[in-house]
Amino acid sequence: MRCLAPIRNAARLALVLLPLLAPTVFAQTTLQIHDIMTALPNSPYLGQSVSVSGIVVGVMNTGGFYFSEPSTSWDSLVATAEGMPVFYASAADNPSCAVVGNIVTVVGTVTNTTALTAADTPGTGITPTSCTVTGTGTMTQSINLSSVLTTFGDALKYTGMAASNTSFYAIAPTTGTLTETSETVTSNGQFWATLGANTTTNNHLFRTAGIAADEYKPTTAPSTVATWSGNPQRILIDTTTFGGSPVDITVGQAITCTVPSGITLGATTGIGLIDYTRGYSRLLIFKSTTCSVTGTIAPTTSAAADSTHFHVGTLDLNRFYSPTGPVAVTAAAYQTRLTKAALAIVDSLGSPDILSLQEVQDLATLTDLATAVNTLAGTTYVPYLTPGPDTSSLNLGFLVNSKTVVTDSVKQLEASATYTNSTGTAVLWERPPLVLNAEFVRTGKNYPVSVFNVHLTPRDNIGDATLGPDIRLHRAAQAADLSSLVQTYQTAGSNVVVAGNFNAFQFNDGYVDVLGVVTGSPAAASAVTLYQATSTTAALTNFTTQVASTSQYNYIERGNAESIEHILASATVPDTSTASASLASYVSAVTQPHFTADFAATNANSPTTPAGLTPHDGFVTAFLIPPVPTTASISATAVNFGSVNLGSSATQTLTITNTTTFTSTVNVTNVAISGTNATDFTQTNTCAALTEGATCTVTLTFTPTALGARTGLLTVTTDSTSNPTLTATLTGTGTTALAISPTALSFGNVDLGTTSAAQTVTLTNYTSVAIPLSSIAITGDFAETTTCGTSLPALGTCTFAVTFTPTVTGARTGTLTINNAVTVSLTGNGVDFTIAFSPTTGATVAGESVTPNLVLTPIAGYSANVALTCTDAASGSTCTPATGTAALSTANTLAVAITTTAQYTVIGYTGATPVLWIVLLTTLSGAILFFSIRRTRHLPKLAALVIILSLISLPITGCSDKLPSTNANPTLPGSYTYTISATDGTLTHTATYTLTVTAK
């Protein structure tokens, strides 16, 4: 509950004037105003008795006045203020000296308005003991606020100084004083504004997560607690406190003020004075200032009723009393409020099917409101209200449209619940939650919901050092209890809606994360002063978060737009028999109406508009009516066709049934087959629209296209809300009526390039009909011949002769396939060997022999005996391997003996005669003699030479003239090739050896 009346503000301004009741303990000090108003809020003279003089520049109709230094006495220090307030409890207590333009001397105690301020920013002034007029004068200077409103307390240094700014933009409407018996409001001319326009934020300043900079941060808060700036740029414009006429303004409008000429006393420039006595910036507009309002009021946002949705709304009616209530409002005032409330419900909230209302006096009052709405809009609202323990006689109630909703029960919960605070046990709920169990009407089967109407205790004083801990405990206990209640209902299968005034934001406020606890996602302990665990295991959706960010507000507090009324709904499916999806998923529209929070409080006086009815805008959510929860079934989820011969088919059927137990239709929209071997399966069906209990048939056919296991998946798609997709796995095995034996042939080792002996396989037709042999294929190094022809008679047989001709060495594989149905696996191994001399050449003397090596190497597992033979082209020579047959399975080296024959039996004899030698020596001697005739002196030497040569020839000629014997088939000098052949009877390989023969 928020109170419009400023009476409490006036009471809070009343300070205890202790210096008037007891003698001061300080000596009186004569000072200038700026001597005192420095280092604020911690003036060096705080608590001391002072005497100070100045010009009275404004007299407050709430008590007290402002006086300022004459302009000629201002110092040059920005951090010092040149004006200050003098505190009096009320206007009746104002002294005679309090006249604008008087120069006065005030004696009193320097005091801070600690009890009235927000966190750490008290205002400073004088609690007077005397006030003496010493003359008259003017203050001719003013300051500009443009660079001031950036942090809280920044304006303290301009206290009592005139502001030269002339234009401001409203971020909250003008408030006023409510006379509750007549339900009328008198404007107080006060509203929050900024120096600049706020068009990008829809003319508002928004609260964000955490503790604001102008709120108290509890000592128990973690150092990491969430905080935010608090929007220090806002300032309260007060058009009446200095006696001026009230200005009524709506959010989004601007005010422009001017100072008329001809002022001879007091402030002659500036439109008003800066004030900080309430812990925040105020601009007190001078009585002489003229102000005008400009700008167009933004149109209100409203919800619209329709027949394809069901709507749930909430609205805090703010102390909605009748003439019989604790506040005896007049009959006329009551009728005005009924009219305004009906307009709000119909025109702004769109006549929700279920409306949660807070702060209504009793059932009779709610009945009157239902009548007013029904009369206005032709609706059929039925009221429900259960009184609770609230001492103000304000309760929670529902208006339910009986045409669209069937009410099953309305029950108040937790009326006797308690919690523990610092003083002991206390009542948990002033206004206990009220639960409506109802059904939205729909064809076939109604949709059940449980709607919680809630109103949590307000945040007032939540950061206060004394009151704050208990307020935080209270709010945490309510959030925990509500979380437990909601989860209990969800666990029992209820589709839950929670609608009401939570007095909490859609985010963590840094004190207690109320909405986080209720929805199931509380802020971490490191981000909040008092952590509270949640019992909500099935999350709730808060639809405030789905509103456009610049419209997320339904209440404005001290210039900050905020959402405190919310609607939550189950984000899971508690009961699939009521719907196939969560209630939250059916939300198609959320509407944040704006019909009153932005408008001046004096609108309460007009019966033709809903504005002014309450400071709360309410909230509306539109849900699509969930489809009736139909069900369908399939008679089997797996179909096995067993073994089916290739070329044959098998058929089975499935039944699709509408299993819904009430009047309904399930439409079969598609039947399809997919999967690995989908083409082996086909279907036909009789399915279309199935009424309650009706069936249709799907006929399935399996025609295998290959041997072995074949699989597929049947999918039947319906519009059933519970099981729209029905499936059945399809399996079968492709077989054949042909058989072959054996099913594998192995040819072992076969020499490379040669053809193996044929092996035979037999094909048998076990059926009573002839089978065409449409396809016979063989792969690899294999070949076949067959007796089968193009068709195999019933119960007949035929054969295939298969041979293997390896084209390369090593393992070879292939397949014989008949009709793509029966196969024979074929294997064989191509083998070979190599031979080579080592070395491949040599040399010898005729009559000598050589023995080169012959290397035999098997390839790819070759294993056989090979016969070795050698041929040559040389006479008198032989070539003989060490063995005529070699067993070859591993590498083998053999010696080959090669012999030659000399020409003579004496090896090395060349065949020259003694006569030849004699002729040679005689010729040589004759030549020497011829040349010596000319040199007779050398004759003795030459004679000696002839004798020596003759002696040499004697052994050459021998002792006789008989020659050595010759061989009949000698190996003459030359180059000869020897060829070794190796054969296993199939493969033959050769190697050659080249021998060079010489004679001595």
Side-chain angles (χ1 to χ4, degrees):
M1 180 185 70
R2 308 293 184 181
C3 194
L4 295 174
I7 298 173
R8 285 188 293 178
N9 290 337
R12 294 174 66 192
L13 284 173
L15 303 173
V16 178
L17 306 181
L18 290 176
L20 296 177
L21 303 177
T24 181
V25 295
F26 300 104
Q28 179 179 306
T29 303
T30 300
L31 300 166
Q32 288 185 287
I33 290 176
H34 52 244
D35 294 331
I36 299 170
M37 301 298 283
T38 186
L40 300 178
N42 301 304
S43 169
Y45 295 96
L46 189 64
Q48 296 186 30
S49 179
V50 298
S51 174
V52 61
S53 299
I55 301 169
V56 177
V57 290
V59 179
M60 293 180 280
N61 57 19
T62 56
F65 63 88
Y66 264 93
F67 67 146
S68 299
E69 287 280 355
S71 299
T72 56
S73 300
W74 283 23
D75 64 16
S76 60
L77 301 177
V78 175
T80 60
E82 301 294 341
M84 66 188 304
V86 180
F87 299 125
Y88 285 91
S90 67
D93 295 321
N94 283 347
S96 59
C97 68
V99 176
V100 172
N102 281 349
I103 299 175
V104 298
T105 298
V106 176
V107 176
T109 302
V110 178
T111 307
N112 273 354
T113 57
T114 305
L116 307 176
T117 65
D120 302 322
T121 52
T124 301
I126 294 180
T127 300
T129 56
S130 66
C131 176
T132 304
V133 178
T134 61
T136 59
T138 60
M139 182 183 70
T140 60
Q141 285 186 252
S142 60
I143 53 95
N144 190 293
L145 296 175
S146 298
S147 61
V148 176
L149 302 176
T150 57
T151 59
F152 290 107
D154 195 32
L156 283 169
K157 59 180 176 286
Y158 293 139
T159 299
M161 300 170 69
S164 61
N165 305 75
T166 59
S167 296
F168 300 89
Y169 298 85
I171 55 173
T174 304
T175 56
T177 303
L178 172 67
T179 301
E180 203 162 11
T181 54
S182 63
E183 297 289 358
T184 56
V185 173
T186 302
S187 175
N188 61 13
Q190 299 176 10
F191 58 92
W192 289 89
T194 57
L195 296 174
N198 304 285
T199 54
T200 60
T201 56
N202 191 27
N203 303 309
H204 293 81
L205 295 184
F206 288 90
R207 185 181 184 99
T208 56
I211 298 174
D214 62 340
E215 293 178 320
Y216 286 103
K217 182 178 178 180
T219 57
T220 56
S223 60
T224 52
V225 70
T227 60
W228 69 291
S229 71
N231 291 325
Q233 67 268 41
R234 55 196 165 91
I235 185 170
L236 183 73
I237 308 299
D238 186 339
T239 60
T240 59
T241 292
F242 277 166
S245 299
V247 172
D248 287 328
I249 199 167
T250 297
V251 173
Q253 290 185 312
I255 181 172
T256 301
C257 300
T258 58
V259 179
S261 59
I263 297 177
T264 59
L265 294 174
T268 60
T269 60
I271 64 170
L273 292 184
I274 305 301
D275 170 73
Y276 220 90
T277 58
R278 294 185 180 178
Y280 50 80
S281 299
R282 283 200 301 170
L283 180 60
L284 306 180
I285 302 298
F286 292 135
K287 182 178 181 179
S288 58
T289 297
T290 302
C291 296
S292 60
V293 174
T294 58
T296 303
I297 299 173
T300 62
T301 303
S302 302
D306 67 83
S307 60
T308 60
H309 297 77
F310 69 85
H311 297 74
V312 177
T314 186
L315 180 63
D316 185 335
L317 287 172
N318 193 44
R319 297 173 64 83
F320 203 92
Y321 289 119
S322 73
T324 62
V327 176
V329 299
T330 65
Y334 182 52
Q335 187 57 50
T336 296
R337 289 210 81 190
L338 287 172
T339 300
K340 293 174 75 68
L343 289 171
I345 293 169
V346 174
D347 295 340
S348 300
L349 302 185
S351 304
D353 298 279
I354 297 176
L355 179 60
S356 297
L357 295 170
Q358 300 84 47
E359 297 198 21
V360 181
Q361 175 182 309
D362 52 26
L363 182 58
T365 304
L366 189 57
T367 300
D368 289 342
L369 178 56
T371 300
V373 176
N374 293 340
T375 300
L376 176 64
T379 52
T380 56
Y381 276 128
V382 176
Y384 298 93
L385 184 146
T386 302
D390 182 46
T391 55
S392 300
S393 298
L394 293 172
N395 299 287
L396 309 180
F398 287 105
L399 289 182
V400 180
N401 187 343
S402 61
K403 284 185 177 180
T404 57
V405 180
V406 175
T407 300
D408 295 328
S409 66
V410 176
K411 183 179 181 181
Q412 188 180 81
L413 305 177
E414 302 294 276
S416 59
T418 61
Y419 77 106
T420 302
N421 60 21
S422 63
T423 61
T425 300
V427 173
L428 178 60
W429 295 98
E430 300 92 337
R431 295 156 198 163
L434 192 65
V435 178
L436 168 70
N437 294 306
E439 303 168 28
F440 279 98
V441 175
R442 64 181 177 184
T443 302
K445 185 179 182 181
N446 292 343
Y447 182 76
V449 292
S450 295
V451 182
F452 284 71
N453 185 351
V454 298
H455 192 185
L456 278 69
T457 193
R459 298 177 69 255
D460 297 347
N461 298 310
I462 194 169
D464 185 79
T466 302
L467 302 176
D470 279 349
I471 293 171
R472 295 192 291 273
L473 283 170
H474 195 178
R475 287 173 61 79
Q478 286 184 335
D481 190 52
L482 182 56
S483 171
S484 178
L485 288 172
V486 166
Q487 187 54 50
T488 298
Y489 270 69
Q490 289 193 120
T491 301
S494 294
N495 301 297
V496 169
V497 176
V498 187
N501 183 355
F502 289 80
N503 277 311
F505 316 123
Q506 64 271 33
F507 39 70
N508 170 29
D509 69 358
Y511 294 111
V512 179
D513 186 14
V514 171
L515 263 297
V517 174
V518 176
T519 59
S521 55
S526 60
V528 68
T529 302
L530 179 58
Y531 173 77
Q532 176 60 56
T534 183
S535 297
T536 309
T537 55
L540 301 179
T541 296
N542 184 353
F543 298 111
T544 298
T545 61
Q546 297 183 16
V547 177
S549 60
T550 56
S551 193
Q552 282 186 26
Y553 70 95
N554 43 46
Y555 189 80
I556 301 176
E557 182 178 21
R558 296 178 59 214
N560 286 324
E562 57 195 35
S563 292
I564 60 175
E565 296 170 280
H566 306 276
I567 296 178
L568 322 175
S570 298
T572 58
V573 187
D575 184 359
T576 56
S577 69
T578 62
S580 59
S582 70
L583 176 56
S585 69
Y586 289 111
V587 168
S588 62
V590 291
T591 303
Q592 178 53 76
H594 295 302
F595 67 92
T596 184
D598 289 332
F599 295 87
T602 53
N603 281 282
N605 305 330
S606 171
T608 61
T609 173
L613 168 69
T614 169
H616 303 277
D617 275 334
F619 194 62
V620 179
T621 300
F623 297 84
L624 285 169
I625 298 176
V628 174
T630 53
T631 59
S633 68
I634 190 168
S635 57
T637 58
V639 179
N640 188 346
F641 290 87
S643 296
V644 178
N645 290 333
L646 297 186
S648 299
S649 297
T651 300
Q652 294 196 43
T653 60
L654 290 175
T655 301
I656 309 301
T657 305
N658 176 355
T659 54
T660 310
T661 57
F662 50 83
T663 301
S664 61
T665 299
V666 171
N667 293 296
V668 178
T669 57
N670 190 45
V671 181
I673 294 175
S674 60
T676 305
N677 310 119
T679 56
D680 285 13
F681 303 90
T682 58
Q683 64 83 27
T684 59
N685 68 83
T686 62
C687 299
L690 303 178
T691 59
E692 179 187 355
T695 64
C696 65
T697 301
V698 178
T699 301
L700 297 163
T701 301
F702 173 47
T703 306
T705 59
L707 294 175
R710 314 296 284 170
T711 61
L713 179 70
L714 173 72
T715 301
V716 179
T717 305
T718 74
D719 63 359
S720 165
T721 61
S722 300
N723 45 352
T725 301
L726 305 173
T727 61
T729 59
L730 309 177
T731 58
T733 303
T735 60
T736 178
L738 291 173
I740 198 163
S741 178
T743 57
L745 296 179
S746 176
F747 290 85
N749 289 345
V750 176
D751 289 343
L752 183 68
T754 63
T755 300
S756 70
Q759 296 189 43
T760 302
V761 293
T762 301
L763 181 67
T764 303
N765 177 1
Y766 288 103
T767 69
S768 58
V769 295
I771 297 178
L773 300 180
S774 58
S775 172
I776 298 173
I778 194 166
T779 63
D781 292 345
F782 302 90
E784 57 81 21
T785 59
T786 181
T787 63
C788 294
T790 60
S791 178
L792 185 58
L795 303 176
T797 63
C798 62
T799 60
F800 290 84
V802 181
T803 57
F804 171 44
T805 306
T807 58
V808 295
T809 58
R812 309 294 287 161
T813 60
T815 304
L816 173 63
T817 305
I818 298 96
N819 277 14
N820 295 319
V822 293
T823 61
V824 179
S825 62
L826 307 174
T827 59
N829 191 47
V831 297
D832 200 354
F833 67 91
T834 62
I835 63 172
F837 273 106
S838 178
T840 59
T841 63
T844 190
V845 175
E848 300 290 341
S849 63
V850 295
T851 311
N853 288 328
L854 180 67
V855 180
L856 295 92
T857 305
I859 300 174
Y862 182 93
S863 179
N865 293 329
V866 294
L868 301 173
T869 58
C870 184
T871 59
D872 65 88
S875 62
S877 179
T878 63
C879 174
T880 307
T883 180
T885 301
L888 183 57
S889 61
T890 59
N892 201 348
T893 301
L894 303 174
V896 178
I898 299 176
T899 65
T900 61
T901 304
Q903 184 178 5
Y904 297 96
T905 57
V906 178
I907 296 175
Y909 179 72
T910 63
T913 65
V915 178
L916 180 61
W917 288 106
I918 293 171
V919 173
L920 178 62
L921 290 174
T922 302
T923 302
L924 180 60
S925 299
I928 293 172
L929 246 150
F930 173 76
F931 286 105
S932 66
I933 294 174
R934 298 174 62 184
R935 293 186 179 93
T936 57
R937 66 180 182 272
H938 297 303
L939 190 58
K941 295 180 182 178
L942 292 172
L945 176 61
V946 171
I947 294 169
I948 292 169
L949 291 172
S950 299
L951 292 173
I952 291 173
S953 67
L954 289 175
I956 297 174
T957 61
C959 295
S960 81
D961 57 358
K962 184 177 181 180
L963 296 175
S965 300
T966 60
N967 289 314
N969 189 25
T971 304
L972 299 177
S975 181
Y976 300 98
T977 299
Y978 297 84
T979 302
I980 287 285
S981 294
T983 181
D984 61 1
T986 302
L987 283 177
T988 300
H989 293 297
T990 61
T992 60
Y993 179 80
T994 301
L995 179 64
T996 301
V997 179
T998 60
K1000 288 186 180 178

